[in-house]
């Protein structure tokens, strides 16, 4: 299955605040918040939504095509991704801007406050998908994840025009979209992926109920945090997949991206929606157990063993033949 992953490529600057954000926010003063948090840790990691998703797919043996715009400072990152199975041949290099940067602080409750500098990502709107399809011999799926909003709109429209199946994954960009823009982004999608809050925000902005959303997209995938994932769609009963067992939680950054990696890897292997969500949930657990979104390693036998522990031997036996050695 030939998958293009469009979206952000960024460097993550991850910090930890030894306390609770909630204790520092005064309800009657939220209109004039002015806070500085003294953090006790700084870790610089490779990140960006699309890069994280592509990395996870590469860990599972796929060869995803990464599509976004970066700066000249991307070369070391490019080498890392290519060594881990990601095709970077369609990444555009800006002549004037740096690669995007994500700055995030996590508190003791795993709540996060973050900022994102777009940088070269704003040039992603100039990238056309047709040359990508021509270079690799077609596209079976285009994942449109958080990116420059104009790029997301362009890629969505091109997918509809050229008949490329696509997955809409607007995530944090929903906050700056109008209801009309959000409707245009999801219309005709094979898959729509959100977390529970984003799903409510999408419905609020667009006025579309669950049933109305299913008139526009084929499958709705909603991650529910500690409650797992819910999948609804046309012609099948709702599916609920609980979270995979986690050894110890270290860092939630990139968990949703890892779920998407595993979910679409499972679909590319021909697995059911439920099995694919179970693969995605376990990959998300691996990210929770590490600091940074690309610091985990998938080992086939160990991955299958943990699938069995979380979901049963039958699931592990079905997935095992597809896992990398």
């Amino acid at each position: 299955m030939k998958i293009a992953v469009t979206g952000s490529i960024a460097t993550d600057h991850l910090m930890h605040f030894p306390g609770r954000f909630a204790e520092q926010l005064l309800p009657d003063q939220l209109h004039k918040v002015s806070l500085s948090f003294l953090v006790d840790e700084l870790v610089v990691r490779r990140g960006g939504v699309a890069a994280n998703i592509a990395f996870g797919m590469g860990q599972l043996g796929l060869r995803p095509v990464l599509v976004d715009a970066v700066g000249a400072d991307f070369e070391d990152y490019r080498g890392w991704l290519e060594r881990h199975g990601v095709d970077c041949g369609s990444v555009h290099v800006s002549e004037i801007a740096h690669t995007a940067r994500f700055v995030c602080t996590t508190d003791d409750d795993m709540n996060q406050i973050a900022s994102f500098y777009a940088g070269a990502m704003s040039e992603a709107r100039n990238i056309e998908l047709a040359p990508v399809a021509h270079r690799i011999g077609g596209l079976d799926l285009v994942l449109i994840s958080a990116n420059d909003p104009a790029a997301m709109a362009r890629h969505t429209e091109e997918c509809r025009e050229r008949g490329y199946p696509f997955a809409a994954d607007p995530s944090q960009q929903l906050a700056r979209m109008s209801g009309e823009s959000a409707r245009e982004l999801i219309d005709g999608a094979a898959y729509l992926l959100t977390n529970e809050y984003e799903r409510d925000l999408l419905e609020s902005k667009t006025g579309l109920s669950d049933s109305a959303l299913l008139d526009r997209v084929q499958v709705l995938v909603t991650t529910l945090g500690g409650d797992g994932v819910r999948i609804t769609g046309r012609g099948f009963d709702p599916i609920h997949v609980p979270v995979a067992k986690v050894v110890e939680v270290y860092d939630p950054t990139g968990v949703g991206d890892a779920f998407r990696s595993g979910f679409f890897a499972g679909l590319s292997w021909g697995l059911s929606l439920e099995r694919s969500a179970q693969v995605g949930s376990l990959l998300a657990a691996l990210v929770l157990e590490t600091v940074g979104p690309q610091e985990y390693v998938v080992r086939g036998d160990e991955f299958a063993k943990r699938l069995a522990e979380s979901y049963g031997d039958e699931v592990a036996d079905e997935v095992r033949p597809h896992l990398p050695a």
Side-chain angles (χ1 to χ4, degrees), residues 236-255:
F236 62 88
D237 293 332
I239 299 167
H240 177 260
V241 173
V243 295
K245 294 180 179 178
V246 177
V247 176
E248 187 172 359
V249 174
Y250 281 100
D251 179 17
T253 307
V255 169

Side-chain angles (χ1 to χ4, degrees), residues 183-199:
R183 284 192 295 271
E184 291 176 354
L185 191 68
I186 68 175
D187 197 24
Y191 304 91
L192 170 61
L193 299 101
T194 66
N195 62 31
E196 195 168 23
Y197 184 86
E198 291 161 354
R199 177 71 170 275

Side-chain angles (χ1 to χ4, degrees), residues 12 14-16 41 43-46 52 55-56 59 80 106 110 112 245-259 281-299 302-303 306:
D12 288 351
L14 309 176
M15 292 166 281
H16 172 253
E41 183 178 320
V43 180
V44 180
R45 302 287 186 187
R46 306 170 186 90
N52 292 342
F55 174 86
Q59 284 284 292
W80 165 266
T106 302
M110 292 295 166
Q112 295 182 313
K245 294 180 179 178
V246 177
V247 176
E248 187 172 359
V249 174
Y250 281 100
D251 179 17
T253 307
V255 169
D257 302 336
F259 171 80
S281 295
L282 181 54
L283 204 66
L286 297 189
V287 172
L288 269 175
E289 295 168 358
T290 57
V291 177
Q294 296 181 30
E295 306 305 317
Y296 62 97
V297 177
V298 173
R299 297 180 175 85
E302 181 181 339
F303 195 88
R306 292 192 59 176

Side-chain angles (χ1 to χ4, degrees), residues 20-291:
R20 303 177 67 239
F21 293 142
E23 294 175 350
Q24 319 307 320
L25 298 172
L26 303 176
D28 60 340
Q29 300 294 316
L30 294 180
H31 63 290
K32 55 178 181 180
V33 173
S34 180
L35 284 172
S36 176
F37 295 97
L38 180 61
V39 299
D40 61 4
E41 183 178 320
L42 167 64
V43 180
V44 180
R45 302 287 186 187
R46 306 170 186 90
V49 172
N52 292 342
I53 294 171
F55 174 86
M57 291 179 177
Q59 284 284 292
L60 290 169
L62 277 66
R63 179 71 173 168
V65 179
L66 183 58
V67 180
D68 191 34
V70 299
D73 53 341
F74 179 65
E75 283 309 301
D76 286 345
Y77 197 171
R78 179 194 298 273
W80 165 266
L81 290 170
E82 290 179 342
R83 290 195 302 273
H84 289 87
V86 179
D87 181 340
C88 295
S90 294
V91 173
H92 167 76
V93 180
S94 171
E95 296 181 357
I96 58 173
H98 292 291
T99 302
R101 183 168 299 177
F102 174 66
V103 181
C104 180
T105 303
T106 302
D107 73 1
D108 285 341
D109 288 338
M110 292 295 166
N111 295 314
Q112 295 182 313
I113 294 177
S115 299
F116 188 85
Y117 163 71
M121 191 181 77
S122 61
E123 297 181 26
R125 66 186 66 183
N126 301 321
I127 299 174
E128 187 178 3
L129 296 176
V132 181
H134 178 75
R135 182 175 69 84
I136 65 172
L139 285 170
D140 298 309
L141 181 69
V142 178
L143 176 54
I144 301 174
S145 60
N147 200 353
D148 170 67
M152 298 171 73
R154 174 176 183 169
H155 295 154
T156 301
E157 184 59 31
E158 187 177 355
C159 284
R160 285 193 287 257
E161 290 178 353
R162 299 185 184 276
Y164 303 146
F166 70 97
D169 182 20
S171 60
Q172 62 260 37
Q173 292 294 36
L174 273 176
R176 61 182 293 169
M177 288 182 178
S178 66
E180 181 180 356
S181 296
R183 284 192 295 271
E184 291 176 354
L185 191 68
I186 68 175
D187 197 24
Y191 304 91
L192 170 61
L193 299 101
T194 66
N195 62 31
E196 195 168 23
Y197 184 86
E198 291 161 354
R199 177 71 170 275
D200 291 343
L201 180 61
L202 179 64
E203 292 186 2
S204 174
K205 286 197 168 194
T206 63
L208 297 172
S209 63
D210 279 7
S211 60
L213 283 172
L214 288 175
D215 289 334
R216 293 173 177 262
V217 306
Q218 296 177 28
V219 178
L220 302 176
V221 182
T222 309
T223 55
L224 309 171
D227 293 326
V229 59
R230 180 177 64 246
I231 304 174
T232 56
R234 306 170 187 173
F236 62 88
D237 293 332
I239 299 167
H240 177 260
V241 173
V243 295
K245 294 180 179 178
V246 177
V247 176
E248 187 172 359
V249 174
Y250 281 100
D251 179 17
T253 307
V255 169
D257 302 336
F259 171 80
R260 287 148 174 77
S261 303
F263 179 71
F264 287 112
L267 293 179
S268 76
W269 297 333
L271 301 180
S272 67
L273 290 168
E274 181 180 22
R275 291 289 179 271
S276 299
Q278 289 164 337
V279 173
S281 295
L282 181 54
L283 204 66
L286 297 189
V287 172
L288 269 175
E289 295 168 358
T290 57
V291 177

